[in-house]
Amino acid sequence: MSKKNKFYWFEGVTEKGVKARLSNEDSDFRWLRPQRNRRVLVLLMALGLVLTSLGSYWPTLKTNMNLPDGTSVVVYSVTAIFVIFAVLGGYSLLRISVRSIADAPDELLDERQIKVRNTSIRFAYYGMGYVVLGLLFAIFFGPEVKLFQAEGNNGSYLMIATLFAYASLPSMVMAWRERDI
């Protein structure tokens, strides 16, 4: 008799997926487990988030770099696609490196893992306060940004980067802080 694979909607994970990550060593991803590699991944993820948010200021950057129109479209398209996919890939690797503990429900974790997850979420919450503060400084003191504009600085990339940061920050904090995962 097969056991059903329960899906946790709030966390966005399945029971079998979390149990497999917690119990299996994943020999293909063993290189992600050392703290040094996880910290490098966190730094690359932060860089990707900053580059994603800079997409909102592309018209201003293009003007400052003196790029011709044909070249600027190619540079913008290739860079935007590469950065977005790099951030998505980085987030996936980050979740694998922390064994999805930051996204797992309580009933699938032991007491130590729950405590580690909860403190990571608390520090991520504090970190998001600083991210929002940085966004407010960028909006008030940077070039003018408006949402969903065909021309001028489009603030939608700032919103996308904020959503990426919100989703990945608990895993980033856990990957940075924990010695052994």
Side-chain angles (χ1 to χ4, degrees):
M1 198 182 269
S2 68
K3 185 178 177 184
K4 285 194 150 202
N5 188 16
K6 185 175 180 183
F7 188 80
Y8 295 90
W9 290 97
F10 187 71
E11 292 86 359
V13 296
T14 62
E15 183 177 7
K16 286 183 182 177
V18 171
K19 285 184 178 180
R21 287 237 175 84
L22 290 174
S23 62
N24 191 359
E25 282 298 314
D26 284 337
S27 62
D28 295 340
F29 297 106
R30 185 166 288 156
W31 60 275
L32 287 172
R33 300 285 188 242
Q35 186 179 26
R36 182 176 74 67
N37 293 351
R38 286 184 280 125
R39 285 185 171 181
V40 167
L41 188 59
V42 168
L43 291 174
L44 290 174
M45 186 73 182
L47 177 66
L49 293 172
V50 169
L51 290 176
T52 302
S53 66
L54 285 178
S56 289
Y57 297 107
W58 175 249
T60 303
L61 293 172
K62 179 177 74 170
T63 305
N64 292 338
M65 291 190 292
N66 295 325
L67 292 175
D69 285 337
T71 305
S72 69
V73 170
V74 172
V75 169
Y76 175 71
S77 301
V78 170
T79 304
I81 290 169
F82 176 75
V83 168
I84 296 291
F85 281 121
V87 168
L88 287 173
Y91 176 61
S92 298
L93 290 175
L94 194 61
R95 283 185 65 173
I96 291 169
S97 74
V98 296
R99 300 179 186 261
S100 296
I101 294 173
D103 302 316
D106 285 348
E107 64 188 67
L108 300 178
L109 300 174
D110 62 20
E111 293 83 15
R112 179 193 164 277
Q113 292 168 333
I114 291 171
K115 184 173 179 168
V116 166
R117 186 210 46 208
N118 290 345
T119 57
S120 295
I121 289 173
R122 189 181 88 219
F123 285 121
Y125 175 76
Y126 294 150
M128 271 313 289
Y130 290 114
V131 168
V132 169
L133 183 65
L135 287 173
L136 288 174
F137 277 120
I139 290 171
F140 290 137
F141 300 115
E144 183 181 2
V145 199
K146 292 184 180 178
L147 287 175
F148 312 117
Q149 295 295 312
E151 294 183 16
N153 294 332
N154 182 0
S156 61
Y157 284 100
L158 280 172
M159 191 173 9
I160 291 169
T162 304
L163 292 174
F164 278 153
Y166 180 76
S168 63
L169 216 49
S171 294
M172 289 172 71
V173 169
M174 187 179 293
W176 189 270
R177 290 184 63 224
E178 287 302 307
R179 189 170 306 275
D180 295 319
I181 292 182

